[in-house]
Amino acid sequence: MTRHFSRWMRNTGLTEAALRKAVAEMEQGLIDAELGGGVVKKRVALPGRGKSGGARTLVATNRGDRWFFVFGFEKNERDNISARELQALQAIAADLLKLTASDLDAQVGTGALQEICL
């Protein structure tokens, strides 16, 4: 996950266990929306609220071994993201998905990315 997403996650009470579950579901093809450019939307349950009253996460993915949680919002905060925000997220996805394993290790080392072990 990105540093920005990690901060947002802490404020919502979202857990790493919920993110692991979301990745497992996405690996099985359970994605809520394909937004293009390597970005998908996935609903995630918040503690005590379930998925319908929970959060929406935007994930940069190659649908294989790379799942980067880059943005999140609670359903009651906003309906969706703007076209401009989507373009920015697609650019971020392109950058993240081209990182090598050593690049990823370096990003984790600096705190720019946080790894969630499955």
Side-chain angles (χ1 to χ4, degrees):
M1 74 180 92
T2 63
R3 183 180 298 152
H4 173 80
F5 185 89
S6 179
R7 276 188 238 127
W8 172 81
M9 184 180 126
R10 281 191 306 270
N11 291 333
T12 63
L14 187 60
T15 65
E16 286 189 17
L19 297 182
R20 283 191 291 275
K21 182 178 178 186
V23 169
E25 290 175 358
M26 289 186 286
E27 288 175 330
Q28 296 173 2
L30 301 174
I31 291 171
D32 295 303
E34 172 65 54
L35 302 179
V39 179
V40 297
K41 184 191 295 185
K42 179 66 178 160
R43 289 183 295 170
V44 180
L46 291 174
R49 292 196 247 173
K51 282 187 183 178
S52 63
R56 307 299 178 258
T57 61
L58 300 178
V59 182
T61 183
N62 64 2
R63 293 192 181 225
D65 61 345
R66 303 265 175 111
W67 304 90
F68 297 95
F69 288 89
V70 293
F71 189 75
F73 57 94
E74 291 185 52
K75 185 178 176 183
N76 62 2
E77 289 176 351
R78 62 192 298 177
D79 292 328
N80 215 336
I81 60 170
S82 70
R84 187 174 175 176
E85 288 169 320
L86 177 57
Q87 286 179 329
L89 290 169
Q90 289 170 334
I92 291 168
D95 289 341
L96 289 170
L97 294 172
K98 69 181 177 186
L99 295 174
T100 66
S102 61
D103 293 336
L104 289 172
D105 289 341
Q107 293 290 315
V108 169
T110 66
L113 295 175
Q114 180 181 342
E115 186 174 15
I116 300 170
C117 296
L118 301 175

